[in-house]
Amino acid sequence: MSKRYEIFVTGKKGIFDPAGKTAQNALDNLGYAGIESLKIGKYIQLEGADSLSLAQVTEMCEKLLANPIIEDFRIEEVGE
Amino acid sequence: MRFGVVVFPGSNCEQDVLHALHYLGFEADYIWHQDTELSGFDAVILPGGFSYGDYLRCGAVARFSPVMNAVIRYAEAGRPVLGICNGFQILAEAHLLPGALLRNRGLKFICQNVPLRVEKSVCQWLELAPGTVVHMPINHNEGNFTCDKETLKQLEDNGQIVLRYCEPDGTRQPTGSAANGALDDIAGICNQRGNVFGLMPHPERATDGISGERDGAAFFTAISQTLLAV
């Protein structure tokens, strides 16, 4: 038995995202019209013992995996 | 006066810092990131580099090195801590300094000698007159300082902004004078007490004159005067 979590870390609203902006400009240059915003974040897969609780994973995000000053995070528990 | 220079896996400016300190006549030794004893040091410096490969976020992993618990206690006891470049990022991640360092706005790694203006601050690491313009190299990809409006106001009100990017004559462009896009042109800040100081520029590379600059020396010498005065 194990638990799996997917974690999405994204820049807080209003925090400039140079990587996203660069990719957006590149798509503009490739001729794709209509893109209003492109943000690049982090996707983390975490797998562990069944006892690994959502509260623990939340604490991991607050402590290390995300920086609450500049980033938001969202955790999803996924099936095995 | 004995300085300790912390070496994390991936630090790469520790030799420059040690050299600058020896050049200035100070005693200085390395502190390994797994050491937890800082009592033999009068001041501690976190040097630049790419601690833990800059993985996750710059400084995010180094912040949990064994030595950092000791550095946090040392700082909270009012003892002097200086973070240069990656060291600044580590101090921010450790919440010893407010705010965060984002990727440079101009999408480039920046390596150049820049003019910087000394601000009126409570920083114990610097005794240059406010308005003094100094030149030091910057060498970073993530030096774009940011914080929320409330924090910025506190930094300003408490005299925690130590150093700003500026034009060669000390003025600032209305659109900003920071090549990295830093909020309010901020290049260095200290904590409220003034004993913890973080900056993106490299004073250790502008100390012995080899690079053409000696302005960095003042960033290491003032703290010994401050300590002597206590």
Side-chain angles (χ1 to χ4, degrees):
Chain A
M1 289 291 278
S2 68
K3 264 199 179 160
R4 281 182 59 199
Y5 292 95
E6 293 186 329
I7 304 161
F8 301 84
V9 181
T10 50
K12 266 194 195 306
K13 203 166 176 277
I15 295 284
F16 183 63
D17 169 22
K21 188 69 189 156
T22 308
Q24 186 181 342
N25 290 347
L27 289 174
D28 284 345
N29 292 338
L30 287 171
Y32 292 100
I35 301 171
E36 282 167 13
S37 168
L38 190 162
K39 303 275 187 203
I40 296 179
K42 291 189 190 101
Y43 167 66
I44 300 167
Q45 292 177 324
L46 196 146
E47 201 172 331
D50 213 23
S51 57
L52 207 58
S53 70
L54 179 64
Q56 281 176 304
V57 178
T58 304
E59 191 185 301
M60 291 175 200
C61 288
E62 287 165 348
K63 223 179 202 175
L64 175 71
L65 297 175
N67 179 345
I69 298 171
I70 49 173
E71 293 169 327
D72 292 322
F73 62 87
R74 179 166 58 84
I75 305 166
E76 282 181 17
E77 193 180 336
V78 292
E80 281 153 56
Chain B
M1 178 79 197
R2 181 165 176 248
F3 287 86
V5 182
V6 179
V7 184
F8 298 97
S11 295
N12 66 10
C13 300
E14 73 277 9
Q15 293 186 34
D16 292 7
V17 174
L18 206 75
H19 168 75
L21 292 167
H22 287 160
Y23 175 84
L24 293 169
F26 294 115
E27 261 186 81
D29 289 291
Y30 296 130
I31 304 168
W32 185 233
H33 70 113
Q34 288 183 325
D35 291 347
T36 52
E37 187 53 61
L38 302 178
S39 60
F41 299 99
D42 299 303
V44 169
I45 299 179
L46 310 187
F50 300 85
S51 58
Y52 295 88
D54 272 355
Y55 293 145
L56 196 60
R57 293 177 311 279
C58 304
V61 181
R63 174 252 176 280
F64 290 103
S65 269
V67 74
M68 282 308 293
N69 283 331
V71 170
I72 290 168
R73 282 197 304 273
Y74 192 84
E76 283 171 352
R79 309 203 59 191
V81 177
L82 170 68
I84 302 166
C85 199
N86 190 222
F88 182 11
Q89 294 163 342
I90 296 167
L91 291 177
E93 282 284 344
H95 307 300
L96 285 173
L97 292 173
L101 285 311
L102 302 172
R103 272 198 206 166
N104 297 340
R105 180 164 286 265
L107 315 175
K108 284 182 191 143
F109 188 100
I110 307 171
C111 180
Q112 62 191 47
N113 206 24
V114 296
L116 299 143
R117 189 175 82 191
V118 176
E119 303 292 342
K120 185 172 164 40
S121 79
V122 297
C123 182
Q124 296 173 14
W125 283 86
L126 202 57
E127 281 182 347
L128 296 172
T132 304
V133 176
V134 297
H135 289 82
M136 293 190 288
I138 54 171
N139 188 288
H140 59 246
N141 196 46
E142 285 89 2
N144 180 356
F145 178 81
T146 193
C147 64
D148 58 38
K149 276 184 187 152
E150 214 171 283
T151 307
L152 180 63
K153 190 177 180 310
Q154 283 173 6
L155 288 174
E156 189 74 68
D157 292 351
N158 298 335
Q160 291 176 253
I161 300 170
V162 184
L163 212 56
R164 278 194 168 98
Y165 303 101
C166 68
E167 302 305 310
D169 64 358
T171 59
R172 288 165 56 210
Q173 294 286 350
T175 51
S177 290
N180 56 22
L183 177 71
D184 226 30
D185 294 331
I186 290 172
I189 56 169
C190 65
N191 63 351
Q192 273 196 50
R193 210 162 164 179
N195 61 308
V196 181
F197 176 32
L199 77 169
M200 288 313 296
H202 288 272
E204 77 279 13
R205 295 187 197 164
T207 291
D208 67 5
I210 289 175
S211 67
E213 300 291 347
R214 291 181 186 275
D215 290 347
F219 289 74
F220 301 112
T221 52
I223 195 68
S224 63
Q225 300 301 319
T226 309
L227 290 175
L228 282 176
V230 171

